[in-house]
Amino acid sequence: MKVVTTIAEMRKIRASLKPPLGFVPTMGYLHQGHLSLVKKARAENPSLVVSIFVNPTQFGPREDFKQYPHDTEHDLALLEKADIVFMPTADEIYPPAFSSWVGVGKVSERLEGACRPGHFRGVATVVAELFNIVQPTRAYFGQKDAQQAVVIKKIVADLNMNLEVVVLPTVREPDGLAMSSRNSYLNHKQRQAAVVLYQALCLAQKLWSQGEKDAQIIRQQMTNLIQKEPLAKIDYASVADPQTLEELDRVEAGALVSLAVKIGKVRLIDNVVLE
Ligand code: PAF
């Protein structure tokens, strides 16, 4: 494994890597969710690049960019099986004259986009840039960030990018909490309370499998359950079309049920697809 920090070096080494090339973009502080992407990318491609870059432009002014957890030594130890770990500086990705942005339209304005204005502009821009630098054959993302996956698939389709986007299942703790670098912000009590997201998603799945087709009833039941947890404050409880992310009246198979909930000051997201 080799650590590369400049775009020039990344491009040079890229030319010598055997195709197909798998790519896992990350912001570091790796957990089992990231590692499941790395494992799959490693198994499906003779070459593997993982990037670690905490992208400043996807954080709002009052968000946790400055506190975002990092442990580069630990991350690099976990990435021994990658060919390249690409760790650009912010100046490499956003040089002083940088002024071009990728806007994605409607799918980026709902849910997370509504709560975090500008977030997906930052994600879409950095991902487009990373794709141009790394030129992967396949790029791997987690279903945990369901809207991010929809946004990235949209830019790849709309801008005719020549790669496949692979989305892999959410990896969960034994009690169901979705793995996330931000779980490290939770204190003991908050960590116990955080399981309410998974419980609400399980409730949605149960109602649906019992024949409930009214999306508003499912949203309301999830809301009622979460409101019983004193540490939890809901940003949204959504039952939406999995492609457009528009809220549904009647629930269909494949609907995306998603939640954003603050546990204390820690904002967590999670989702399930109704089977
Ligand atoms: O999911 C993440 O870690 C980030 O949003 C990504 C895709 C690496 C872009 O910064």
Side-chain angles (χ1 to χ4, degrees):
M1 185 268 284
K2 184 173 166 54
V3 176
V4 170
T5 57
T6 66
I7 294 170
E9 195 185 0
M10 183 64 235
R11 283 196 197 286
K12 203 165 143 205
I13 296 183
R14 168 68 182 90
S16 66
L17 292 174
K18 191 168 172 239
L21 171 70
F23 177 43
V24 183
T26 81
M27 299 206 297
Y29 210 67
L30 303 180
H31 51 68
Q32 288 304 320
H34 297 111
L35 297 182
S36 74
L37 308 181
V38 169
K39 194 170 168 199
K40 185 77 167 170
R42 181 73 282 176
E44 290 185 345
N45 305 278
S47 303
L48 172 61
V49 175
V50 178
S51 65
I52 300 178
F53 178 64
V54 184
N55 175 34
T57 66
Q58 69 187 72
F59 291 80
R62 280 181 294 280
E63 292 184 358
D64 56 342
F65 173 61
K66 289 220 171 86
Q67 297 92 55
Y68 199 79
H70 54 90
D71 187 346
T72 307
E73 210 177 306
H74 188 236
D75 288 348
L76 293 178
L78 293 171
L79 293 175
E80 261 177 358
K81 294 218 167 91
D83 296 291
I84 305 292
V85 177
F86 180 46
M87 295 181 56
T89 60
D91 270 0
E92 278 284 291
I93 299 295
Y94 301 109
F98 187 93
S99 67
S100 302
W101 300 94
V102 180
V104 190
K106 286 267 178 281
V107 291
S108 69
E109 288 160 13
R110 307 189 160 114
L111 304 172
E112 285 303 281
C115 297
R116 305 181 66 190
H119 170 66
F120 285 118
R121 185 178 92 139
V123 170
T125 302
V126 80
V127 167
E129 214 180 324
L130 290 168
F131 285 173
N132 278 333
I133 298 162
V134 175
Q135 297 183 25
T137 318
R138 301 188 185 97
Y140 295 78
F141 297 88
Q143 172 64 21
K144 151 92 172 26
D145 295 303
Q147 187 174 11
Q148 170 170 280
V150 171
V151 164
I152 290 165
K153 281 187 176 164
K154 187 91 177 99
I155 61 169
V156 166
D158 287 356
L159 303 179
N160 291 300
M161 293 176 169
N162 190 19
L163 65 114
E164 183 191 343
V165 175
V166 182
V167 181
L168 297 178
T170 303
V171 179
R172 298 182 180 281
E173 300 285 356
D175 66 359
L177 178 67
M179 293 210 181
S180 162
S181 305
R182 289 189 169 100
N183 292 350
S184 65
Y185 298 148
L186 298 165
N187 65 28
H188 180 66
K189 272 196 161 163
Q190 292 168 335
R191 172 63 188 82
Q192 286 180 321
V195 76
V196 77
L197 279 88
Y198 183 62
Q199 288 168 347
L201 295 172
C202 290
L203 175 62
Q205 185 77 60
K206 184 171 151 212
L207 290 167
W208 158 250
S209 55
Q210 287 171 347
E212 184 56 69
K213 296 268 165 44
D214 185 330
Q216 189 49 31
I217 291 182
I218 295 183
R219 283 182 210 105
Q220 193 56 56
Q221 295 280 334
M222 288 197 294
T223 303
N224 294 347
L225 181 88
I226 295 166
Q227 282 175 340
K228 286 192 191 135
E229 170 49 63
L231 295 181
K233 189 167 170 293
I234 302 175
D235 265 1
Y236 59 78
S238 158
V239 181
D241 178 279
Q243 259 97 48
T244 65
L245 306 181
E246 269 179 287
E247 290 302 319
L248 295 171
D249 295 328
R250 298 281 297 165
V251 187
E252 309 280 346
L256 177 70
V257 179
S258 62
L259 291 172
V261 178
K262 282 198 191 101
I263 304 289
K265 288 204 171 109
V266 187
R267 189 171 181 282
L268 301 176
I269 58 171
D270 199 356
N271 67 85
V272 288
V273 173
L274 296 180
E275 303 297 351

